[in-house]
Amino acid sequence: MAQFHRAAGGIISPVLTEEFQLTPTAIGGVIGAMFIATVIMQVPAGIALDRYGVRRVVPFSLALSGCGSLLFAQAIDVQWLLVARILLGVGFASLTAGAYLLFARWFPQDRFATLSGLMVAIGGIGGLTGTYPLAESIGIFGWRSNFAAVGFLILAVSLLGYLTIRDAPPDYRDQGGRPRSIKETLTGYREIFGKRDFFKILALGLVTFAPITAIAGLWGGPYFQEVHGLSRTETGLILFVLFLSTSFAGLVVGPLDRRFGTRKGVILGCTFLSFSSLAVLALWPQAPLGAAIACLVFMTFCQQFYLPLAAHNRALFGDHLVGRASTLLTLVSVAGIPLLQGGFGLVLDLSRRSGLSDELGYRLGFASIAVALFLASSIYATAKDIKPQGGEGA
């Protein structure tokens, strides 16, 4: 459900722009509000997960998201849209770290990236429904009915989660223990921030979710409609393929760290390929539709380097710190989304005010994301590799 709302921006943004008369900067703000709220709630979510467990925190959070989706469906102005998107973001804040915490307690450490990839593949079903199927369904039922239906579905999943989630196996023993006071919580953060490589992981985390969500989740829709003249349904089909690529990549990229015996090598290889795809699109004037689709599909596939990156982050810490360490990585990763989405919209606004064509404006937007990827990967490249088998290397 979270992936549905993250993906739906590319389909719903032209609809909201027309109905509420929004500028590119304004629609970027509306779509980005959900991600900003998720960022703000990461630290409280991490503390809650480590202290109270997944079974208590995640179902409650999902219920908030369900209410946000229902509120979004009833919006009458831009302020209402913003409040609804913020509520969605607050509710989704604990989901990724909650899953990571369950992986850490139920499975061996070297399976972390593989399980995360499986989660991405399954979660990608939600992202897929937020593309072509949503575009078709909006044409039949309208956008409000679709988001109301999703809201009720989220509430149902929340109840199911409360009934079925178990925080750990019966024989599980956490050597660190759950934090019982503010002092113990702060001591855990001191331990986390004492790892130098953690900051290098955070640097790359800033450009993990953001490129996919900025393009496939928002600006890809307007790009294909305004530059290539496609209809909403045709655009939805392309975005469907982009998110399908993400789901497939979860199954492929997740196990690569164990196959090649390195996390860092897989991560840097994927970031280089993703950067190259965006650079080609940015430097190619009047790129044909097929080439544009191919570049963006390859980019979304390679962006799943987040899976071995999350495994690298998990390997730095004991189980008692996984919730807080994971939410900090998620905080930075999600924080990059409104930055790149808003930055892309700003580039478009400035290019239009300067009299540049929309096609060139979008190419400059792609270039800005490529530069961000290059800079972040350069910082991460100085981190030490932690082998899936537990060994460490340069």
Side-chain angles (χ1 to χ4, degrees):
M1 296 301 99
Q3 292 298 337
F4 169 84
H5 279 284
R6 289 167 183 162
I11 297 300
I12 197 64
S13 58
V15 178
L16 297 179
T17 297
E18 181 178 354
E19 181 167 334
F20 295 96
Q21 298 297 300
L22 303 178
T23 65
T25 301
I27 190 62
V30 168
I31 301 300
M34 183 180 80
F35 303 106
I36 294 173
T38 297
V39 167
I40 293 173
M41 289 302 298
Q42 284 305 301
V43 171
I47 294 173
L49 286 167
D50 279 337
R51 185 165 185 177
Y52 300 109
V54 178
R55 184 172 183 265
R56 294 185 187 181
V57 175
V58 169
F60 175 75
S61 299
L62 274 174
L64 291 179
S65 296
C67 294
S69 190
L70 292 173
L71 188 64
F72 187 80
Q74 302 299 319
I76 59 175
D77 56 34
V78 67
Q79 289 77 21
W80 196 319
L81 291 172
L82 284 169
V83 171
R85 293 286 291 182
I86 289 170
L87 190 57
L88 283 165
V90 170
F92 291 145
S94 66
L95 300 189
T96 300
Y100 289 162
L101 190 53
L102 291 178
F103 295 160
R105 291 176 174 173
W106 282 87
F107 300 97
Q109 188 182 129
D110 65 350
R111 301 284 175 175
F112 191 90
T114 301
L115 290 165
S116 299
L118 182 61
M119 178 181 70
V120 168
I122 296 173
I125 296 172
L128 293 175
T129 59
T131 55
Y132 177 72
L134 177 62
E136 287 287 280
S137 188
I138 286 176
I140 299 172
F141 302 107
W143 69 272
R144 295 180 185 274
S145 297
N146 280 273
F147 283 89
V150 170
F152 286 118
L153 181 58
I154 294 174
L155 291 176
V157 172
S158 170
L159 177 60
L160 180 63
Y162 181 75
L163 296 174
T164 60
I165 291 174
R166 297 294 179 267
D167 287 320
D171 59 347
Y172 174 79
R173 296 185 64 183
D174 187 349
Q175 299 299 322
R178 293 184 178 182
R180 294 181 295 271
S181 65
I182 294 178
K183 181 179 179 180
E184 290 183 5
T185 298
L186 294 178
T187 299
Y189 278 115
R190 191 178 301 117
E191 184 178 345
I192 291 171
F193 290 124
K195 301 275 190 178
R196 290 186 179 181
D197 281 354
F198 179 65
F199 293 96
K200 299 171 184 179
I201 290 173
L202 293 183
L204 190 56
L206 194 64
V207 290
T208 51
F209 299 156
I212 296 176
T213 311
I215 296 174
L218 178 56
W219 295 113
Y223 166 70
F224 286 113
Q225 291 183 41
E226 295 171 9
V227 175
H228 294 281
L230 302 185
S231 67
R232 184 176 65 205
T233 299
E234 291 169 331
T235 297
L237 184 58
I238 293 174
L239 298 182
F240 180 90
V241 173
L242 295 185
F243 279 97
L244 182 63
S245 170
T246 297
S247 297
F248 180 66
L251 298 175
V252 175
V253 177
L256 289 183
D257 61 341
R258 288 190 297 122
R259 179 171 298 178
F260 292 107
T262 173
R263 292 186 175 116
K264 182 178 174 181
V266 172
I267 292 165
L268 290 178
C270 287
T271 55
F272 174 76
L273 294 174
S274 182
F275 161 80
S276 300
S277 300
L278 288 169
V280 167
L281 196 53
L283 296 172
W284 192 344
Q286 303 294 331
L289 176 61
I293 294 173
C295 286
L296 293 181
V297 166
F298 196 56
M299 182 275 293
T300 56
F301 183 94
C302 294
Q303 281 297 127
Q304 289 309 310
F305 67 77
Y306 181 81
L307 302 173
L309 185 69
H312 191 171
N313 184 57
R314 187 267 175 271
L316 286 176
F317 306 104
D319 290 357
H320 65 295
L321 295 174
V322 169
R324 279 162 286 178
S326 296
T327 50
L328 287 172
L329 176 58
T330 303
L331 184 156
V332 173
S333 300
V334 177
I337 294 173
L339 289 176
L340 288 192
Q341 284 184 334
F344 204 114
L346 182 60
V347 168
L348 287 178
D349 279 344
L350 292 175
S351 65
R352 288 170 181 173
R353 291 173 189 171
S354 301
L356 302 178
S357 67
D358 284 344
E359 189 269 344
L360 181 54
Y362 279 103
R363 284 170 52 206
L364 292 173
F366 295 137
S368 67
I369 297 178
V371 170
L373 268 170
F374 176 79
L375 294 176
S377 60
S378 297
I379 296 172
Y380 172 76
T382 63
K384 291 183 179 180
D385 197 2
I386 299 181
K387 310 297 184 180
Q389 294 79 12
E392 294 188 20

